[in-house]
Coordinates of all heavy atoms in Angstrom, one line a residue:
D315 N 34.7 -27.1 -22.6 CA 33.8 -26.3 -23.3 C 32.4 -26.9 -23.4 O 31.6 -26.6 -24.2 CB 34.3 -26.0 -24.8 CG 34.4 -27.3 -25.6 OD1 34.3 -28.4 -24.9 OD2 34.6 -27.2 -26.8
Q316 N 32.2 -27.8 -22.4 CA 30.9 -28.5 -22.3 C 30.4 -28.4 -20.9 O 31.2 -28.1 -19.9 CB 31.0 -30.0 -22.7 CG 31.3 -30.2 -24.2 CD 31.3 -31.7 -24.5 OE1 32.0 -32.5 -23.8 NE2 30.6 -32.1 -25.5
I317 N 29.1 -28.6 -20.7 CA 28.5 -28.7 -19.4 C 27.7 -30.0 -19.3 O 27.2 -30.5 -20.2 CB 27.6 -27.5 -19.1 CG1 26.5 -27.4 -20.1 CG2 28.4 -26.2 -19.0 CD1 25.4 -26.4 -19.8
R318 N 27.6 -30.4 -18.0 CA 26.8 -31.6 -17.8 C 25.5 -31.1 -17.0 O 25.6 -30.5 -16.0 CB 27.5 -32.7 -17.0 CG 26.7 -34.0 -16.8 CD 27.6 -35.0 -16.1 NE 28.7 -35.4 -16.9 CZ 28.7 -36.3 -17.9 NH1 27.6 -36.9 -18.2 NH2 29.8 -36.5 -18.5
V319 N 24.3 -31.5 -17.6 CA 23.1 -31.0 -17.0 C 22.2 -32.2 -16.6 O 22.3 -33.2 -17.2 CB 22.3 -30.1 -18.0 CG1 23.2 -28.9 -18.4 CG2 21.9 -30.9 -19.2
P320 N 21.4 -32.0 -15.6 CA 20.4 -33.0 -15.2 C 19.2 -33.0 -16.1 O 19.0 -32.1 -17.0 CB 20.0 -32.6 -13.8 CG 20.1 -31.1 -13.8 CD 21.3 -30.8 -14.7
D321 N 18.3 -33.9 -15.9 CA 17.0 -33.9 -16.6 C 16.2 -32.7 -16.1 O 16.2 -32.4 -15.0 CB 16.3 -35.2 -16.3 CG 15.1 -35.5 -17.3 OD1 15.1 -34.8 -18.4 OD2 14.2 -36.2 -16.9
I322 N 15.4 -32.1 -17.1 CA 14.7 -30.9 -16.7 C 13.4 -30.9 -17.6 O 13.4 -31.3 -18.7 CB 15.5 -29.6 -16.9 CG1 14.7 -28.4 -16.3 CG2 15.8 -29.4 -18.4 CD1 15.6 -27.2 -16.2
A323 N 12.3 -30.4 -17.0 CA 11.1 -30.3 -17.7 C 11.0 -29.0 -18.5 O 11.5 -28.0 -18.1 CB 9.9 -30.4 -16.7
A324 N 10.2 -29.1 -19.6 CA 10.0 -27.9 -20.4 C 9.3 -26.8 -19.6 O 8.4 -27.1 -18.8 CB 9.1 -28.2 -21.6
G325 N 9.7 -25.6 -19.7 CA 9.1 -24.4 -19.0 C 9.7 -24.1 -17.7 O 9.4 -23.1 -17.1
E326 N 10.6 -25.0 -17.2 CA 11.1 -24.7 -15.8 C 12.1 -23.5 -15.9 O 12.9 -23.4 -16.8 CB 11.9 -26.0 -15.4 CG 12.2 -26.0 -13.9 CD 12.6 -27.3 -13.4 OE1 12.2 -28.3 -14.0 OE2 13.3 -27.4 -12.3
N327 N 11.9 -22.6 -14.9 CA 12.6 -21.4 -14.8 C 12.5 -20.5 -16.0 O 13.5 -19.7 -16.3 CB 14.1 -21.7 -14.5 CG 14.3 -22.6 -13.2 OD1 13.6 -22.3 -12.2 ND2 15.2 -23.6 -13.3
V328 N 11.4 -20.5 -16.6 CA 11.1 -19.7 -17.8 C 9.9 -18.8 -17.6 O 8.9 -19.3 -17.1 CB 10.9 -20.6 -19.1 CG1 10.5 -19.7 -20.3 CG2 12.2 -21.4 -19.4
R329 N 10.0 -17.5 -18.0 CA 8.9 -16.6 -17.9 C 8.4 -16.4 -19.4 O 9.1 -15.9 -20.2 CB 9.3 -15.3 -17.3 CG 9.8 -15.3 -15.9 CD 10.1 -13.9 -15.5 NE 10.7 -13.8 -14.2 CZ 11.9 -13.3 -13.8 NH1 12.6 -12.7 -14.8 NH2 12.3 -13.2 -12.6
E330 N 7.2 -16.8 -19.6 CA 6.6 -16.7 -20.9 C 6.3 -15.2 -21.3 O 6.0 -14.4 -20.4 CB 5.3 -17.5 -21.1 CG 5.5 -19.0 -20.9 CD 6.4 -19.6 -22.0 OE1 6.4 -19.0 -23.2 OE2 7.0 -20.6 -21.8
R331 N 6.4 -14.9 -22.6 CA 6.0 -13.6 -23.1 C 4.6 -13.3 -22.7 O 3.7 -14.1 -22.8 CB 6.2 -13.5 -24.6 CG 5.6 -12.3 -25.2 CD 5.9 -12.3 -26.7 NE 5.3 -11.1 -27.3 CZ 5.6 -10.7 -28.6 NH1 6.4 -11.4 -29.3 NH2 5.0 -9.6 -29.0
G332 N 4.3 -12.0 -22.2 CA 3.0 -11.6 -21.8 C 2.5 -12.2 -20.5 O 1.3 -12.0 -20.2
R333 N 3.4 -12.8 -19.7 CA 3.0 -13.4 -18.4 C 2.4 -12.3 -17.5 O 1.4 -12.6 -16.8 CB 4.1 -14.1 -17.8 CG 3.8 -14.7 -16.4 CD 5.0 -15.5 -15.9 NE 4.7 -16.0 -14.6 CZ 5.6 -16.8 -13.9 NH1 6.8 -17.0 -14.4 NH2 5.3 -17.2 -12.7
D334 N 3.0 -11.1 -17.5 CA 2.5 -10.1 -16.6 C 1.2 -9.5 -17.1 O 0.2 -9.4 -16.5 CB 3.6 -9.0 -16.4 CG 3.3 -8.1 -15.2 OD1 2.2 -8.2 -14.5 OD2 4.2 -7.3 -14.9
F335 N 1.3 -9.0 -18.4 CA 0.1 -8.5 -19.1 C 0.4 -8.5 -20.5 O 1.5 -8.5 -21.0 CB -0.3 -7.1 -18.6 CG 0.8 -6.0 -18.6 CD1 1.2 -5.4 -19.7 CD2 1.5 -5.7 -17.4 CE1 2.2 -4.4 -19.8 CE2 2.5 -4.7 -17.4 CZ 2.8 -4.1 -18.6
Q336 N -0.7 -8.3 -21.3 CA -0.6 -8.4 -22.8 C -1.0 -7.1 -23.4 O -1.8 -6.3 -22.8 CB -1.4 -9.6 -23.3 CG -1.0 -10.9 -22.8 CD -1.8 -12.1 -23.3 OE1 -2.9 -11.9 -23.8 NE2 -1.3 -13.3 -23.3
A337 N -0.6 -6.8 -24.6 CA -0.9 -5.6 -25.3 C -2.4 -5.4 -25.4 O -3.1 -6.3 -25.7 CB -0.3 -5.6 -26.7
G338 N -2.9 -4.2 -25.1 CA -4.3 -3.9 -25.1 C -5.0 -4.1 -23.8 O -6.1 -3.6 -23.7
A339 N -4.4 -4.7 -22.8 CA -5.1 -5.0 -21.6 C -5.2 -3.7 -20.8 O -4.3 -2.8 -20.8 CB -4.3 -6.0 -20.7
R340 N -6.4 -3.5 -20.1 CA -6.6 -2.4 -19.2 C -5.8 -2.7 -17.9 O -6.2 -3.6 -17.2 CB -8.0 -2.1 -19.0 CG -8.2 -0.8 -18.1 CD -9.7 -0.5 -18.0 NE -10.4 -1.3 -17.1 CZ -11.6 -1.0 -16.5 NH1 -12.2 0.1 -16.9 NH2 -12.2 -1.9 -15.7
L341 N -4.8 -1.9 -17.6 CA -4.0 -2.1 -16.4 C -4.6 -1.4 -15.2 O -4.6 -1.9 -14.1 CB -2.6 -1.7 -16.6 CG -1.9 -2.4 -17.9 CD1 -0.5 -1.8 -18.0 CD2 -1.9 -3.9 -17.7
L342 N -5.1 -0.2 -15.4 CA -5.6 0.6 -14.3 C -6.9 1.3 -14.8 O -6.9 1.8 -15.9 CB -4.6 1.7 -13.8 CG -3.3 1.1 -13.1 CD1 -2.3 2.2 -12.9 CD2 -3.7 0.4 -11.8
A343 N -7.9 1.4 -14.0 CA -9.1 2.0 -14.4 C -9.2 3.5 -14.0 O -8.6 3.9 -12.9 CB -10.3 1.3 -13.8
E344 N -9.9 4.3 -14.7 CA -10.1 5.7 -14.4 C -10.7 5.7 -13.0 O -11.6 5.0 -12.6 CB -11.1 6.3 -15.4 CG -11.4 7.7 -15.1 CD -12.4 8.3 -16.2 OE1 -12.6 7.6 -17.2 OE2 -12.9 9.4 -16.0
G345 N -10.3 6.7 -12.2 CA -10.8 6.9 -10.9 C -9.9 6.3 -9.8 O -10.1 6.6 -8.6
L346 N -8.9 5.4 -10.1 CA -8.1 4.9 -9.1 C -7.0 5.9 -8.7 O -6.6 6.8 -9.5 CB -7.3 3.7 -9.7 CG -8.1 2.4 -9.8 CD1 -7.3 1.3 -10.5 CD2 -8.7 1.9 -8.5
R347 N -6.6 5.9 -7.4 CA -5.6 6.8 -6.9 C -4.3 6.2 -7.1 O -4.0 5.0 -6.9 CB -5.8 7.1 -5.4 CG -4.9 8.2 -4.9 CD -5.3 8.5 -3.4 NE -6.6 9.1 -3.3 CZ -6.9 10.3 -3.6 NH1 -6.0 11.2 -4.0 NH2 -8.2 10.7 -3.4
L348 N -3.3 7.0 -7.6 CA -2.0 6.5 -8.0 C -1.1 6.4 -6.7 O -0.9 7.4 -6.0 CB -1.4 7.4 -9.0 CG -1.9 7.3 -10.4 CD1 -1.4 8.4 -11.3 CD2 -1.6 6.0 -11.0
D349 N -0.7 5.2 -6.4 CA 0.3 5.0 -5.3 C 1.6 4.6 -6.0 O 1.7 4.5 -7.2 CB -0.3 4.0 -4.3 CG -0.6 2.6 -5.0 OD1 0.0 2.3 -6.1 OD2 -1.4 1.9 -4.4
P350 N 2.6 4.3 -5.2 CA 3.9 4.0 -5.8 C 3.9 2.7 -6.7 O 4.5 2.7 -7.7 CB 4.8 3.8 -4.6 CG 4.3 4.6 -3.5 CD 2.8 4.6 -3.8
W351 N 3.0 1.8 -6.3 CA 3.0 0.5 -7.1 C 2.2 0.7 -8.4 O 2.6 0.1 -9.4 CB 2.3 -0.6 -6.2 CG 3.1 -0.8 -5.0 CD1 4.2 -1.6 -4.8 CD2 2.9 -0.1 -3.7 NE1 4.7 -1.5 -3.5 CE2 3.9 -0.5 -2.8 CE3 2.1 0.9 -3.3 CZ2 4.1 -0.1 -1.5 CZ3 2.2 1.4 -2.0 CH2 3.2 0.9 -1.1
R352 N 1.2 1.5 -8.4 CA 0.5 1.8 -9.6 C 1.3 2.7 -10.5 O 1.2 2.6 -11.8 CB -0.9 2.5 -9.3 CG -1.9 1.4 -8.7 CD -3.1 2.1 -8.1 NE -4.1 1.1 -7.6 CZ -5.1 1.3 -6.8 NH1 -5.3 2.5 -6.4 NH2 -5.9 0.3 -6.5
I353 N 2.1 3.6 -10.0 CA 3.0 4.4 -10.8 C 4.0 3.5 -11.5 O 4.3 3.7 -12.7 CB 3.7 5.5 -9.9 CG1 2.7 6.6 -9.6 CG2 4.9 6.0 -10.6 CD1 3.2 7.7 -8.7
S354 N 4.5 2.5 -10.7 CA 5.4 1.5 -11.3 C 4.7 0.8 -12.5 O 5.4 0.6 -13.5 CB 5.9 0.5 -10.3 OG 6.6 -0.5 -10.9
L355 N 3.5 0.4 -12.3 CA 2.7 -0.3 -13.4 C 2.6 0.6 -14.6 O 2.8 0.2 -15.8 CB 1.4 -0.7 -12.9 CG 0.5 -1.5 -13.9 CD1 1.3 -2.8 -14.4 CD2 -0.8 -1.9 -13.2
C356 N 2.3 1.9 -14.4 CA 2.2 2.9 -15.5 C 3.5 2.9 -16.3 O 3.6 2.9 -17.5 CB 1.8 4.3 -15.0 SG 0.1 4.4 -14.4
A357 N 4.6 3.0 -15.5 CA 5.9 3.1 -16.1 C 6.2 1.8 -16.9 O 6.8 1.9 -18.0 CB 7.0 3.3 -15.1
S358 N 5.8 0.6 -16.4 CA 6.1 -0.6 -17.1 C 5.3 -0.7 -18.4 O 5.6 -1.4 -19.3 CB 5.8 -1.8 -16.2 OG 4.4 -2.0 -16.1
A359 N 4.2 0.1 -18.5 CA 3.4 0.2 -19.7 C 3.9 1.3 -20.7 O 3.3 1.5 -21.7 CB 2.0 0.4 -19.4
G360 N 5.1 1.9 -20.3 CA 5.7 2.9 -21.2 C 5.1 4.3 -21.1 O 5.3 5.1 -22.0
R361 N 4.5 4.6 -20.0 CA 3.9 5.9 -19.8 C 4.9 6.8 -19.0 O 5.4 6.4 -18.0 CB 2.6 5.8 -19.0 CG 1.5 5.0 -19.7 CD 1.1 5.7 -21.0 NE 0.4 7.0 -20.7 CZ -0.9 7.1 -20.6 NH1 -1.7 6.0 -20.7 NH2 -1.4 8.3 -20.4
D362 N 5.1 8.0 -19.5 CA 5.9 9.0 -18.7 C 5.0 10.1 -18.2 O 5.4 10.9 -17.4 CB 7.1 9.5 -19.5 CG 6.6 10.4 -20.7 OD1 5.5 10.1 -21.2 OD2 7.3 11.3 -21.1
R363 N 3.8 10.2 -18.7 CA 2.8 11.2 -18.3 C 1.4 10.5 -18.2 O 1.2 9.5 -18.9 CB 2.7 12.3 -19.3 CG 4.0 13.1 -19.5 CD 3.7 14.3 -20.5 NE 2.9 15.3 -19.9 CZ 3.4 16.3 -19.1 NH1 4.7 16.4 -18.8 NH2 2.6 17.2 -18.6
V364 N 0.6 11.0 -17.3 CA -0.7 10.5 -17.1 C -1.7 11.6 -17.0 O -1.4 12.7 -16.6 CB -0.8 9.6 -15.9 CG1 -0.1 8.2 -16.1 CG2 -0.2 10.3 -14.7
R365 N -3.0 11.3 -17.4 CA -4.1 12.3 -17.2 C -4.7 12.0 -15.9 O -5.2 10.9 -15.6 CB -5.1 12.2 -18.3 CG -6.3 13.1 -18.2 CD -6.9 13.4 -19.5 NE -6.1 14.3 -20.3 CZ -6.6 14.9 -21.3 NH1 -7.8 14.8 -21.7 NH2 -5.8 15.7 -22.0
V366 N -4.8 13.0 -15.0 CA -5.4 12.9 -13.7 C -6.3 14.0 -13.4 O -6.4 15.0 -14.1 CB -4.3 12.9 -12.6 CG1 -3.3 11.7 -12.8 CG2 -3.5 14.2 -12.6
V367 N -7.2 13.8 -12.4 CA -8.1 14.8 -11.9 C -7.3 15.9 -11.3 O -6.4 15.6 -10.4 CB -9.1 14.3 -11.0 CG1 -10.1 15.4 -10.5 CG2 -10.0 13.2 -11.6
R368 N -7.5 17.2 -11.7 CA -6.8 18.3 -11.1 C -7.1 18.3 -9.6 O -8.2 18.2 -9.1 CB -7.3 19.6 -11.7 CG -6.5 20.8 -11.1 CD -6.9 22.1 -11.9 NE -8.3 22.5 -11.8 CZ -8.8 23.1 -10.8 NH1 -8.1 23.4 -9.7 NH2 -10.1 23.4 -10.8
P369 N -6.0 18.4 -8.8 CA -6.2 18.4 -7.3 C -7.0 19.7 -6.9 O -6.7 20.7 -7.4 CB -4.8 18.4 -6.7 CG -3.9 18.8 -7.9 CD -4.6 18.4 -9.1
P370 N -7.9 19.5 -6.0 CA -8.7 20.7 -5.5 C -7.8 21.7 -4.8 O -6.8 21.3 -4.1 CB -9.7 20.1 -4.5 CG -9.8 18.6 -4.8 CD -8.4 18.3 -5.3
E371 N -8.0 23.0 -5.0 CA -7.4 24.1 -4.3 C -8.4 24.6 -3.3 O -9.4 25.1 -3.7 CB -6.9 25.1 -5.3 CG -5.7 24.7 -6.1 CD -4.4 24.6 -5.3 OE1 -4.3 25.3 -4.3 OE2 -3.5 23.8 -5.7
V372 N -8.0 24.6 -2.1 CA -8.9 25.1 -1.0 C -8.3 26.3 -0.3 O -7.1 26.3 0.0 CB -9.1 24.0 0.0 CG1 -10.1 24.5 1.1 CG2 -9.7 22.7 -0.6
S373 N -9.1 27.4 -0.2 CA -8.7 28.6 0.5 C -9.3 28.5 1.9 O -10.5 28.4 2.1 CB -9.1 29.8 -0.2 OG -8.4 30.1 -1.4
I374 N -8.4 28.7 2.9 CA -8.8 28.8 4.3 C -8.8 30.3 4.7 O -7.7 30.9 4.6 CB -8.0 28.0 5.2 CG1 -8.0 26.5 4.9 CG2 -8.4 28.2 6.7 CD1 -7.1 25.6 5.7
V375 N -9.9 30.8 5.1 CA -9.9 32.2 5.6 C -10.2 32.1 7.1 O -11.3 31.8 7.6 CB -11.0 33.0 4.9 CG1 -11.1 34.4 5.5 CG2 -10.8 33.0 3.4
S376 N -9.1 32.5 7.9 CA -9.2 32.4 9.3 C -9.5 33.8 9.9 O -8.7 34.7 9.7 CB -7.9 31.8 9.9 OG -8.0 31.7 11.3

Side-chain angles (χ1 to χ4, degrees):
D315 62 351
Q316 292 182 311
I317 60 171
R318 184 174 297 277
V319 302
D321 194 21
I322 190 170
E326 195 164 338
N327 302 318
V328 173
R329 300 183 182 122
E330 295 295 333
R331 173 176 177 167
R333 177 178 178 178
D334 196 355
F335 52 80
Q336 298 180 342
R340 186 174 75 165
L341 304 179
L342 295 171
E344 179 180 352
L346 288 177
R347 189 174 297 280
L348 287 170
D349 58 23
W351 301 272
R352 288 168 176 166
I353 285 177
S354 173
L355 183 56
C356 291
S358 73
R361 299 293 295 268
D362 67 332
R363 301 183 69 86
V364 286
R365 175 159 288 197
V366 298
V367 178
R368 179 171 65 81
E371 287 289 332
V372 180
S373 287
I374 300 175
V375 178
S376 180

